[in-house]
Amino acid sequence: MVLKLLVLFFTPLLSGLAIFLVPGGKSTSFKLLLVFAGAYLFAITIIHILPELYHQPVGMEYIGLFVLAGFFLQQMLEYFTAGIEHGHMHGHIAPGQQGHSHHTHTHQSVSAIVLLTALCIHALLEGGMLAQPATMGVPYDVHAILLGIALHRAPAAFALMTVLAHQFGSRKRAIPYLAGFSLAAPFGLLISTLLAEYEILTGEGMIFLYAVVCGNFLHISTTIVFESSPAHRFNAKKLTVAMAGSLVAVLVEYGLM
């Protein structure tokens, strides 16, 4: 539990603070890291999460519905996050902000709060799926999933800081939002664990939560992989990195790393 909490908190926090060292944030290495993270997340979803879901003893007939629900929930959340989950760093400007400089601070604050809320909803679900209640039945290995969450939260945190620093005109003013984002997943893990201990969240409920996050991951990872090749142009370097990310997922899953 302690390891999971530390990884969930410090990975996005330190990645976001890296903006003070790499303020540009649009380097080729960042894009390649994003492709690697997306490919890993996609592979671990296919070879680990989906098989684990259908290996559980209850709720099998509804799993697909919850995966679909998670996929479209992530689509809705990205309406507010502007794709920060998969590394988009373009400005997230509130409607009506352009051309009204005297209202800039208010619009930016509202936009940042909505952005943070949408990101935290996803992070809470991610953290929640890492709980391992005894009521769930067949236990599942979360280490490969924890690595996948860490890999995709790192560029998301960096993108969040880049967007908010641009909006606020100050990187320091964005730090409290980064802290809130970093706390969301650990909070989700603690809440899910507590609910499971008091049997409010049943084994079947945990499976359905797992399925919802599976749908989230499918949306995020496929978006990253598809967006890495605009206009479907072949890019050998990005393809190699994507294959490497998938290979690492396979090696981790089968205990070869």
Side-chain angles (χ1 to χ4, degrees):
M1 170 70 82
V2 174
L3 175 62
K4 287 185 269 188
L5 290 172
L6 290 175
V7 170
L8 290 175
F9 177 71
F10 282 107
T11 297
L13 181 67
L14 296 178
S15 299
L17 291 176
I19 192 176
F20 289 94
L21 302 175
V22 191
K26 291 192 176 181
S27 65
T28 301
S29 57
F30 176 82
K31 293 179 181 178
L32 292 178
L33 173 62
L34 195 61
V35 172
F36 182 91
Y40 179 96
L41 195 61
F42 177 73
I44 212 66
T45 301
I46 297 300
I47 67 175
H48 182 116
I49 299 178
L50 281 172
E52 287 280 4
L53 277 171
Y54 285 102
H55 189 61
Q56 299 300 324
V58 294
M60 188 178 297
E61 64 272 25
Y62 300 113
I63 286 173
L65 294 177
F66 281 91
V67 172
L68 282 174
F71 185 92
F72 288 109
L73 171 62
Q74 185 59 37
Q75 180 71 55
M76 289 189 290
L77 289 175
E78 290 189 11
Y79 175 78
F80 301 102
T81 65
I84 281 179
E85 297 95 323
H86 38 86
H88 280 189
M89 290 185 286
H90 46 71
H92 189 82
I93 308 300
Q97 183 175 328
Q98 295 86 346
H100 298 278
S101 58
H102 57 290
H103 292 305
T104 297
H105 176 72
T106 301
H107 282 305
Q108 288 176 344
S109 297
V110 172
S111 176
I113 291 170
V114 172
L115 169 62
L116 180 64
T117 300
L119 286 172
C120 285
I121 290 172
H122 172 68
L124 283 166
L125 292 171
E126 280 185 334
M129 80 176 298
L130 293 175
Q132 292 179 286
T135 56
M136 189 173 174
V138 180
Y140 58 93
D141 179 20
V142 298
H143 293 96
I145 302 171
L146 179 62
L147 178 57
I149 292 174
L151 282 173
H152 106 80
R153 280 174 62 77
F158 189 86
L160 174 65
M161 282 293 286
T162 302
V163 169
L164 292 182
H166 173 72
Q167 287 188 16
F168 293 148
S170 167
R171 286 173 283 181
K172 290 183 179 180
R173 285 184 58 197
I175 291 177
Y177 293 86
L178 173 65
F181 175 63
S182 301
L183 285 168
F187 188 68
L189 172 57
L190 290 173
I191 289 295
S192 291
T193 302
L194 187 63
L195 291 176
E197 286 180 358
Y198 285 95
E199 298 184 353
I200 298 172
L201 181 63
T202 64
E204 189 174 25
M206 190 66 198
I207 292 169
F208 293 152
L209 171 62
Y210 198 66
V212 168
V213 181
C214 176
N216 290 169
F217 285 170
L218 282 173
H219 189 286
I220 292 170
S221 61
T222 53
T223 300
I224 291 172
V225 173
F226 285 130
E227 286 186 346
S228 68
S229 300
H232 302 285
R233 289 192 296 269
F234 179 76
N235 187 315
K237 184 181 292 185
K238 289 182 179 179
L239 177 61
T240 301
V241 170
M243 293 175 65
S246 298
L247 178 60
V248 169
V250 172
L251 295 176
V252 170
E253 173 64 15
Y254 293 101
L256 301 176
M257 273 189 73

